[in-house]
Amino acid sequence: MTTPPPSPSGPLSAGPPSAEAPRSGPRPAPWVRTRLRAAPLGTLLAAALAFVAVLLAAALPRAQDRGADQALRSFLEGSGQAGTSLQVTAPSPVSGQSAQALDGTLKSLLARTGSTFHVDTDAVVHGTRTTKRLPLLNPELSRPSGFPPRMSLLYVQEAQAHVKLVEGRWPGSTPSAGAPEGATAYDPPLQVALSQPAAETLGARLGSVLKSAPLADGTPSVEVVGLYAVTDRTEDFWADLDCLPSACEHRIGENLAWDVDALIGAGDLGRMDTWGRTAEDFWRLPVDVGRLRADRLDATTKEIASYMAGPTAATLVRETRRERLRTSSWLPELFEQAHDRRQAAAPLALIGPAGVGGVAFVVLCLAGALAADRRDAELRLLLARGGSRAGIVGRLLGEGAVTVLPAATAATALAVLLLPTPRLAPTLLAAAVVAMLALLAFPVRAAVLLSPPRPAGRWRRPVAELLVVIATGAAVLEVRRRGVAPAGSDPDPLLIAAPLLLALCGGLLLARLQPVVTGWLARAAGRRSGLVGFLGLARAARGQGAAGTHARGRTGPSVLPTVALLLAITTGGFGAAVLNSVDSNRLGVARLAVGGDAAISASGETSLPDGLAKAAGELPGVRTSVPLWVDHDSSVTGTKQRSSQVAVIVAEPAAYAELSRALGCGSFDPALLTAGGSQSADAPVPALFSAGLAQLAGPGTYTVQPGNGAELRARVAGVIDCTPVRPARDAAIVVLPAGPATALIGAGRPNQWVGLGTVDGDRLRALVRSALPPASSTAQAQAPAPAADPADEVYPVRTSAEAVAELGADPLQRSAQRLFWACVAGAAGFALLAVLLTLMRTVPERAALLARLRTMGLRRRQGVALILAETLPQTLAAALGGALVAAAAVALLGPAIDLSTLVGASVPTGVRLTAGPVLTQALGLAALVAAAVLVEAATSGRRQITTELRAGDQS
């Protein structure tokens, strides 16, 4: 021991202090200060370990909250303000209608918000509108199909701030002068402001008096006193006011008519119901989605439901004195979708934290065991000198509190500072749990070492291992039997715990098998010349002994480092397999949506420019070029339904077969269609029919009639289940070979091009732009949307890489992936630390052994090789076992995982088992551990041997 034992009068003495003991003698040194000064490096390492562990524990829930909040807000922002607003309506009062009354009701509506959701008061839109559009019968107005235009009137508060007056004036804000004696309530006309584009569409002008159909008591009419232009059509202010900025199209069957809205002033609010007989007040209250929180989504849903139809709604009716006040919103449905999306991504988001938590638990236990073994002799001496086991453990708790608690506090504060989120309770709870584990690991281990020896229980370990195996089998079978939890429910604990239980079972099995296999290898190495390999393998098979005489007979390698490596590799490999399946499914969905890796389409019935398909096929990266002629307005006569509507695809058979095979959609033998290229135009052309169409047609010859009026005789040469151009399984498709026969129906020039390979979208667009006819470019330059790219308008270009980027742009997916990879990195770091702690645990014994061997002629390189031969078998076995367990986890649990939310589109349930992601995790972690062991052996081995040689053999 490096410190003197406590005096008999100290706190650990067996008896009480004597009453006659002198009080003037030197006081004993404080225990905690003495112990911390005795091992400063160990104290700093323990504080650093606690700091890192608590920092990760405190940061994980905050990172999850930030990712969930960001995903929720992004999802809601994509729904637009109209979908994330509370739409409140009420019939306009018969009398007393005014702007002040609207503002008063708005004040009552806003007073009931702000608990779990807030309203963006700057974006509130409210006013009054007529509920019916009246036809305008002025003969000079535009009537595209003979139907008169229709108009409704609106009063919108703050509308003038979003428009610019172009001509005339705004309608008055004070009531107009009374009507002359004998006039009806419709006199004088209501004053309105009309948008300039709408006035041009209708043919109205400033000063026009627009009249509707006469009624029994008069004729409703409006006078256009002002023309305005909207400053920004993309503003959320116009979300559900579509016909105010410009006229809207109104279809009556196949006929076109115009709908327009006009603004009135506050002065005519009292007479507004004369236009259409009824009017209603409306308030659009946009919820501030930037302040919504995912963890309070249930409470927010309940509060909004109460606002729509509940206690809050009843209170608002009483306060506003509007008995027919109604509130509607899409928010409850959007909240439910957001909740389902979050729960669907929860398995991946929780498997990573569970893995790093398991590995960190193992590391903390190893650190406690290392500290207990290092001070085993000191603790037993204190016990022999009369100290009680409770007193010793209490003092060890005091030591740990001085080391762990400040580090845990600093780590928690740093996590709160770096990752600001509203919720603090999960952070404090996670930090407290890990801090208590770091604090109790050493005292608990010491209490076990100091406890009286019990009779050895031969069946204790096998029974515990059997219980773990049974629990793992039950979890896996239950997940396989019922699948994951239903969509929208809480995360399935079995799906999250099953990979960890499989890793634990793998670690226990490996701990049983590794000594046996390593012993065989040691005996085989013993038959060869040289002792380094034999000695290293023999020590690896026996297990690293502990320093001191109370190691209690280790008979094999420690299970904890193996379990740590297996946990890290299994969770990393399982999650990597999930992400690999997400990427492959996303690519498959994108390729089916595009038709390949790149596609060029012609709008309408036009064809691609001459030479464009050939030039596109010669671009760098294009592996397969497939020009196509597609007609979606074709029919097949002679089926059971006499005539069936189909889509006809004409393509070169070999290239289209390669495209179908690559996309996994409707693979076929190109020989079925190759006969069509050399036959005459009168012979039936071989064709592939889709499965649904083949059931209606059956074998035989049929007439294919494209939309251009031509005809072609075709015979059924084969049946396909889908095709890349129309991947829908129920689509009616006819695939024909390109050749002279199909050229007679106008299929000589392709109207689509599809390519496979790594195609650069920008380069492809530049090629299309260069091939664009000048006439099309001029026509597009005169189009009403000058900002649009002419090439993209005439010949749209799509690539699978861009489609993949769009599918993967969801913040929910990105946050889940970032969190998982961060946890994988943390688990790998803790697993590496577990191996290093195991090496540190055997430093005294290994140094003594190397010193003895050095005196017998062992060279330094041979000493490093001995350390590697002793350590690497466990690492390599853990890497191999982790890869096998990860593969087993994917095979057993993968079919129960739904990846649709992570992919961004509906895909079949299940995770594909591929060797790449699993082996990458296993071999990467094994290489990292081997490099760390090599560095540790090369740097510290020489210093340890020198110390032992100078001190002499202490064993």
Side-chain angles (χ1 to χ4, degrees):
M1 290 181 55
T2 59
T3 58
S7 61
S9 60
L12 294 178
S13 59
S18 174
E20 290 80 10
R23 299 179 179 272
S24 60
R27 301 179 61 184
W31 173 279
V32 174
R33 187 182 67 185
T34 304
R35 289 308 311 157
L36 296 183
R37 286 182 176 181
L41 181 60
T43 301
L44 291 178
L45 291 178
L49 178 59
F51 179 86
V52 173
V54 174
L55 179 63
L56 288 179
L60 277 175
R62 303 186 73 80
Q64 289 177 328
D65 282 351
R66 287 168 62 87
D69 291 344
Q70 182 183 6
L72 171 65
R73 294 162 186 171
S74 176
F75 173 71
L76 294 178
E77 287 171 358
S79 302
Q81 193 179 90
T84 57
S85 298
L86 297 173
Q87 306 285 350
V88 186
T89 60
S92 297
V94 178
S95 61
Q97 175 68 305
S98 64
Q100 292 74 20
L102 293 172
D103 293 340
T105 303
L106 175 63
K107 185 177 180 180
S108 299
L109 295 174
L110 294 177
R112 294 293 171 178
T113 64
S115 177
T116 60
F117 72 94
H118 298 78
V119 171
D120 186 359
T121 55
D122 295 334
V124 170
V125 179
H126 68 292
T128 305
R129 60 189 168 207
T130 57
T131 56
K132 294 181 180 179
R133 283 192 168 95
L134 296 186
L136 302 177
L137 302 183
N138 299 58
E140 70 273 13
L141 299 182
S142 173
R143 302 187 181 192
S145 302
F147 291 92
R150 304 182 306 171
M151 175 181 282
S152 65
L153 305 181
L154 288 92
Y155 167 76
V156 183
Q157 284 274 45
E158 304 295 334
Q160 298 181 21
H162 301 272
V163 299
K164 178 179 66 175
L165 188 63
V166 177
E167 189 177 357
R169 61 179 177 83
W170 286 107
S173 59
T174 58
S176 56
E181 188 174 351
T184 65
Y186 302 101
D187 295 326
L190 297 171
Q191 297 181 0
V192 301
L194 195 62
S195 70
Q196 190 177 41
E200 293 175 355
T201 301
L202 294 184
R205 61 180 183 275
L206 188 67
S208 297
V209 177
L210 309 178
K211 297 184 178 182
S212 183
L215 301 176
D217 52 352
T219 301
S221 61
V222 296
E223 179 184 0
V224 180
V225 299
L227 299 177
Y228 63 85
V230 174
T231 55
D232 185 6
R233 282 290 302 268
T234 62
E235 274 190 295
D236 292 333
F237 182 85
W238 309 104
D240 52 358
L241 305 175
D242 298 333
C243 299
L244 275 178
S246 61
C248 302
E249 292 184 357
H250 173 65
R251 294 284 177 177
I252 306 175
E254 297 295 329
N255 302 309
L256 173 64
W258 298 110
D259 286 345
V260 295
D261 291 340
L263 290 172
I264 71 167
D268 284 333
L269 276 174
R271 295 197 304 143
M272 195 172 181
D273 56 356
T274 60
W275 187 269
R277 295 294 185 181
T278 57
E280 70 173 7
D281 300 336
F282 67 92
W283 298 265
R284 188 177 74 206
L285 310 179
V287 174
D288 188 358
V289 298
R291 301 175 67 177
L292 292 177
R293 291 167 48 182
D295 61 288
R296 303 184 66 183
L297 198 58
D298 293 339
T300 305
T301 303
K302 293 178 181 178
E303 185 170 348
I304 289 182
S306 176
Y307 203 100
M308 296 170 58
T312 305
T315 303
L316 287 173
V317 169
R318 292 194 303 269
E319 289 182 355
T320 60
R321 298 182 181 179
R322 293 176 179 262
E323 296 183 356
R324 296 172 62 186
L325 188 73
R326 297 291 182 268
T327 304
S328 62
S329 178
W330 290 104
L331 281 173
E333 289 80 4
L334 293 176
F335 287 165
E336 184 177 358
Q337 295 176 21
H339 181 267
D340 292 348
R341 284 161 41 84
R342 182 186 177 189
Q343 302 297 13
L348 179 64
L350 293 178
I351 285 175
V356 72
V359 181
F361 175 79
V362 171
V363 169
L364 292 175
C365 292
L366 272 175
L370 174 63
D373 288 344
R374 181 171 56 88
R375 297 176 59 180
D376 180 64
E378 171 194 349
L379 299 177
R380 294 185 181 280
L381 179 59
L382 290 175
L383 188 64
R385 292 291 302 272
S388 66
R389 189 171 59 158
I392 296 174
V393 171
R395 290 188 176 274
L396 296 181
L397 282 174
E399 291 181 31
V402 173
T403 304
V404 171
L405 295 184
T409 303
T412 306
L414 182 61
V416 172
L417 180 64
L418 295 179
L419 299 172
T421 55
R423 279 208 306 174
L424 192 60
T427 299
L428 297 180
L429 179 61
V433 170
V434 175
M436 290 301 297
L437 179 61
L439 179 62
L440 295 176
F442 175 32
V444 170
R445 175 64 177 170
V448 173
L449 289 178
L450 298 178
S451 60
R454 293 181 297 174
R458 297 181 55 188
W459 300 104
R460 192 177 304 158
R461 179 178 174 182
V463 169
E465 293 175 347
L466 182 61
L467 291 177
V468 173
V469 171
I470 292 175
T472 304
V476 172
L477 290 176
E478 184 66 13
V479 172
R480 295 278 297 180
R481 183 184 65 83
R482 62 170 174 80
V484 297
S489 60
D490 292 332
D492 193 340
L494 285 179
L495 186 62
I496 299 169
L500 305 183
L501 291 174
L502 285 172
L504 181 58
C505 284
L508 297 177
L509 179 61
L510 197 60
R512 291 285 189 178
L513 296 179
Q514 180 190 340
V516 178
V517 176
T518 310
W520 292 344
L521 296 176
R523 286 191 292 271
R527 302 187 187 99
R528 303 172 61 88
S529 60
L531 292 177
V532 173
F534 167 73
L535 186 58
L537 291 174
R539 285 175 55 80
R542 189 181 71 248
Q544 297 91 358
T549 60
H550 300 277
R552 300 195 180 184
R554 267 180 227 279
T555 59
S558 176
V559 178
L560 291 181
T562 303
V563 171
L565 288 171
L566 279 173
L567 282 174
I569 295 174
T570 300
T571 54
F574 183 78
V578 171
L579 292 180
N580 183 74
S581 295
V582 168
D583 292 338
S584 61
N585 281 325
R586 191 178 290 161
L587 178 60
V589 170
R591 297 178 84 180
L592 283 179
V594 172
D597 288 324
I600 307 174
S601 304
S603 303
E605 299 179 357
T606 61
S607 301
L608 296 178
D610 293 336
L612 177 59
K614 181 179 179 182
E618 295 174 351
L619 287 176
V622 177
R623 186 176 67 253
T624 303
S625 177
V626 189
L628 300 170
W629 183 82
V630 182
D631 185 80
H632 298 280
D633 194 23
S634 301
S635 61
V636 173
T637 59
T639 63
K640 295 179 182 179
Q641 296 179 350
R642 295 187 178 181
S643 179
S644 300
Q645 193 76 15
V646 299
V648 172
I649 301 172
V650 178
E652 196 279 321
Y656 196 72
E658 171 64 17
L659 178 67
S660 300
R661 184 197 62 78
L663 269 62
C665 182
S667 301
F668 65 94
D669 185 1
L672 297 174
L673 298 179
T674 52
S678 59
Q679 291 183 348
S680 63
D682 296 335
V685 178
L688 299 177
F689 279 35
S690 59
L693 181 63
Q695 292 179 355
L696 297 176
T701 302
Y702 300 90
T703 301
V704 179
Q705 297 177 335
N708 56 16
E711 289 188 355
L712 178 71
R713 295 177 61 222
R715 60 179 177 84
V716 182
V719 178
I720 54 176
D721 55 353
C722 71
T723 185
V725 177
R726 292 286 299 274
R729 298 287 174 176
D730 56 348
I733 303 294
V734 175
V735 180
L736 300 172
T742 54
L744 296 177
I745 61 174
R749 297 182 59 187
N751 55 14
Q752 289 189 25
W753 174 86
V754 178
L756 293 176
T758 55
V759 186
D760 186 354
D762 295 335
R763 179 175 293 184
L764 187 58
R765 288 187 177 87
L767 176 64
V768 172
R769 198 173 296 113
S770 64
L772 188 66
S776 299
S777 179
T778 303
Q780 286 298 319
Q782 299 174 354
D789 192 341
D792 293 343
E793 289 293 330
V794 181
Y795 306 113
V797 174
R798 297 181 299 165
T799 64
S800 60
E802 296 169 349
V804 166
E806 292 177 1
L807 291 174
D810 189 354
L812 179 67
Q813 305 168 9
R814 295 200 303 268
S815 63
Q817 294 180 9
R818 286 197 302 265
L819 181 63
F820 169 76
W821 288 119
C823 292
V824 167
F830 276 117
L832 176 62
L833 185 58
V835 176
L836 295 179
L837 285 176
T838 305
L839 290 176
M840 292 177 62
R841 194 177 186 181
T842 61
V843 164
E845 179 188 1
R846 187 170 66 246
L849 174 65
L850 292 176
R852 296 189 189 100
L853 294 177
R854 185 70 178 271
T855 60
M856 300 170 63
L858 183 74
R859 293 189 297 271
R860 193 162 71 93
R861 289 185 179 180
Q862 291 177 320
V864 174
L866 177 62
I867 297 175
L868 293 179
E870 178 184 347
T871 308
L872 289 186
Q874 184 179 17
T875 301
L876 297 179
L880 177 60
L884 294 177
V885 173
V890 174
L892 294 174
L893 306 175
I897 300 178
D898 186 5
L899 302 176
S900 297
T901 299
L902 294 175
V903 171
S906 179
V907 294
T909 301
V911 177
R912 298 190 186 99
L913 176 58
T914 51
V918 177
L919 290 179
T920 300
Q921 298 294 316
L923 297 180
L925 186 55
L928 180 64
V929 172
V933 171
L934 179 61
V935 171
E936 195 275 341
T939 56
S940 64
R942 183 176 183 179
R943 175 170 47 83
Q944 295 165 0
I945 294 174
T946 302
T947 303
E948 287 291 330
L949 288 175
R950 288 178 178 177
D953 191 357
Q954 299 176 1
S955 59

